[in-house]
Amino acid sequence: MMSALMLRSLLGATLVTLVAACQSADPPTDYETITVAPEEIERNGASPDFVGIRSTVTTGDGTWVLDRAAPFVTHVASDAESTVTRFGSLGDGPGELRHPVAIQATPEGLDVWDVAKAEVVTYDPSGVLIAIRPLSNERGGWIRPDMAEVSYLDPWRVRRLDGHVVFARFPNGLTQLPDAASGALVRGGTDLDPSQTILEYRDLVPRDGRALGQFATMPLWDACGNAVVVWNPARSELEWFDPHGQRTDAATVDARPPPLTDDGIVRFLRLMARLEIGPDFEAADIDFQSMARKVRPEFDALAPAIVDVRCGGANTAWLQLFDPEGDPLGHGRRWLRVRPGSAPSVVAFPPDFRPTEFGDDAMVGFEDAPSGQTLSLWRTQRHSTT
C-alpha cells in the first residue's frame, strides 16, 4: 500500500493547495431562492463538443470559447446560420498556441493570452493572425500551470476595462493557495505590464494571528462595463471600484463559511491522486483516510464561503457559494445575486450547468455531457430576479 509520504512526494505542491469540505456554505434562510429546472437550460444547437471550457466571452456577434484542448478557440456566431469558426492549433509557430489561459474580445477580433509562450496573440474574427506581443517581464512571478484545476482560485483572469486590462499580479509567484496573499489586483496593458495597483490582497485576507493555512480564504474579483467588483472576505463585503481604484459602492453579504472535515480532505486527496496518477489511481491502494488525518494540521478549520465572483450588469454581481457536492473544489450550484441596497437572492442551477457569463437577459455557460461540454444558456425571464 502506498504511504502518505509516498503520495505526498508524488503529488508535490499539489497536495498543499486546496481541499473541499463536505458541508456547503449556506446563506440566510430568508434570502429568496430560485431553483432552475434542467429543462430551462437551452443548449446551443451549433455548439461543438468541448474538452474543458476555460472561459467564454459573448459579444453582439456571438460567443467566443476558450477550450483546454486544440483547437483552443471557437467562435459560435449569433447569425441565422450559427456559423462556427475554430482555430488555435497546438504548436510553437506563429499564431499557434501552447497553454492559452484567457481571452478578451477586441475591436479587431480576439486577444488570447498564452502563458507557456509568454505572449498575447491577436486574431481577426476568422482566426487570421493579426499580431503577437511578448508579455512583460513585470507581470509577476511563476504561477503553476494547473492552479485553476487544483484550487478554486482563477489566477489567469484578464478583463478589458477602460482601454486597459485588469489582472491579478503575484510578484512572489503562486505555487499554493496561501501564496496568493501577496498578490495584487492591477491595471495595465495587454502585455500585462502593470501601471496601477487597484488593491493589495493582503488587505482583504482574513487574519486571526495565525499563519495562513492550506485552505486560506482569498479575495476574488471580476470586471465588466466600467467597474471592478471585488469580494472582500475580511469584511464580508462585495465592493465596487472604478477603473482607477476608487471605491464607489459596497454591499454586505451574509455568507457563512462551512467547517472543513476529514471527509472533505479525503475528497480532495482523491482528486489529486486522479490528476497525478490517472484514472486508475485506485489500483495504488492508497489509504486516504490515514493520509487525511496526518495532513489535517496543514489545513484551516473552515472552508471559504465564496469561491467565485462574476459581474452581472450595472451594479450587479454574482457570488458562487462553496459546495463540494459534485466538485471537490467547491464550485457549487448556488449563486448569490447581489446589488447594493437590495436583499440578495439565490439562484440554484442544475448540476450539469455551469454559468460563465451573467447578463440581464441570459446566463451563458456550458453543460457537462458524456460526449463533452456544450455551450448553453438560461434566460432570466423564465424567472423574475429583479
Side-chain angles (χ1 to χ4, degrees):
M1 179 172 63
M2 184 179 291
S3 68
L5 182 60
M6 290 173 63
L7 179 61
R8 193 171 185 184
S9 176
L10 175 65
L11 301 185
T14 303
L15 179 62
V16 291
T17 304
L18 169 70
V19 297
C22 62
Q23 298 186 32
S24 60
D26 291 317
T29 56
D30 58 350
Y31 284 0
E32 176 193 12
T33 298
I34 296 170
T35 300
V36 179
E39 58 268 21
E40 295 181 45
I41 304 299
E42 301 176 24
R43 177 178 177 177
N44 187 318
S47 172
D49 291 332
F50 297 97
V51 173
I53 294 177
R54 286 188 181 274
S55 61
T56 66
V57 174
T58 299
T59 67
D61 297 327
T63 298
W64 293 98
V65 179
L66 180 63
D67 199 7
R68 298 184 190 278
F72 293 105
V73 180
T74 298
H75 185 255
V76 181
S78 55
D79 56 25
E81 292 78 23
S82 297
T83 306
V84 175
T85 304
R86 309 194 78 177
F87 57 90
S89 57
L90 177 66
D92 296 314
E96 295 179 325
L97 301 169
R98 179 61 62 181
H99 187 54
V101 294
I103 56 173
Q104 285 289 276
T106 72
E108 296 81 19
L110 189 75
D111 279 345
V112 181
W113 283 265
D114 189 326
V115 295
K117 298 177 70 176
E119 59 189 29
V120 55
V121 185
T122 302
Y123 302 93
D124 76 5
S126 64
V128 175
L129 176 65
I130 295 177
I132 300 175
R133 285 154 288 177
L135 296 183
S136 168
N137 291 331
E138 300 301 317
R139 67 186 184 277
W142 184 82
I143 299 174
R144 61 173 299 156
D146 61 349
M147 193 68 189
E149 282 78 60
V150 299
S151 80
Y152 68 86
L153 194 67
D154 178 9
W156 309 112
R157 184 167 295 180
V158 178
R159 295 289 188 259
R160 190 173 297 279
L161 185 73
D162 190 36
H164 297 78
V165 297
V166 177
F167 59 98
R169 180 174 182 267
F170 303 97
N172 300 327
L174 185 60
T175 60
Q176 55 182 344
L177 196 62
D179 296 340
S182 65
L185 188 62
V186 301
R187 190 173 72 142
T190 55
D191 62 352
L192 305 187
D193 187 28
S195 60
Q196 179 188 3
T197 298
I198 298 173
L199 57 86
E200 300 279 356
Y201 277 25
R202 62 172 178 262
D203 297 329
L204 281 65
V205 175
R207 303 281 189 170
D208 59 3
R210 297 178 302 172
L212 291 175
Q214 304 302 340
F215 198 72
T217 296
M218 290 293 162
L220 302 163
W221 70 277
D222 199 9
C224 59
N226 210 33
V228 179
V229 60
V230 176
W231 167 242
N232 182 340
R235 302 176 61 172
S236 196
E237 279 188 343
L238 196 59
E239 301 177 308
W240 279 261
F241 296 85
D242 69 16
H244 303 286
Q246 295 296 313
R247 183 170 130 151
T248 59
D249 218 331
T252 300
V253 178
D254 187 0
R256 303 159 189 173
L260 173 65
T261 69
D262 287 350
D263 286 344
I265 296 177
V266 167
R267 291 187 185 195
F268 176 75
L269 294 176
R270 291 176 62 85
L271 171 65
M272 295 301 99
R274 185 167 66 249
L275 290 174
E276 297 294 334
I277 300 175
D280 297 329
F281 71 94
E282 297 283 11
D285 195 21
I286 302 166
D287 186 350
F288 289 109
Q289 293 288 345
S290 175
M291 182 180 295
R293 290 191 295 269
K294 290 181 180 180
V295 301
R296 187 66 177 86
E298 299 181 15
F299 299 99
D300 288 43
L302 298 176
I306 305 299
V307 293
D308 199 3
V309 60
R310 300 283 175 147
C311 289
N315 238 28
T316 303
W318 293 76
L319 297 174
Q320 188 176 29
L321 292 166
F322 178 89
D323 186 348
E325 183 179 351
D327 177 21
L329 301 179
H331 294 107
R333 300 172 47 205
R334 295 178 303 163
W335 291 75
L336 282 175
R337 180 177 184 264
V338 181
R339 302 174 74 175
S342 302
S345 57
V346 180
V347 176
F349 293 101
D352 292 334
F353 177 70
R354 304 184 193 182
T356 54
E357 297 178 81
F358 293 78
D360 293 330
D361 300 320
M363 313 308 191
V364 176
F366 58 89
E367 283 187 288
D368 290 317
S371 59
Q373 296 174 342
T374 57
L375 272 180
S376 303
L377 63 82
W378 175 62
R379 301 185 189 277
T380 57
Q381 61 262 37
R382 303 289 293 267
H383 287 285
S384 174
T385 59
T386 58

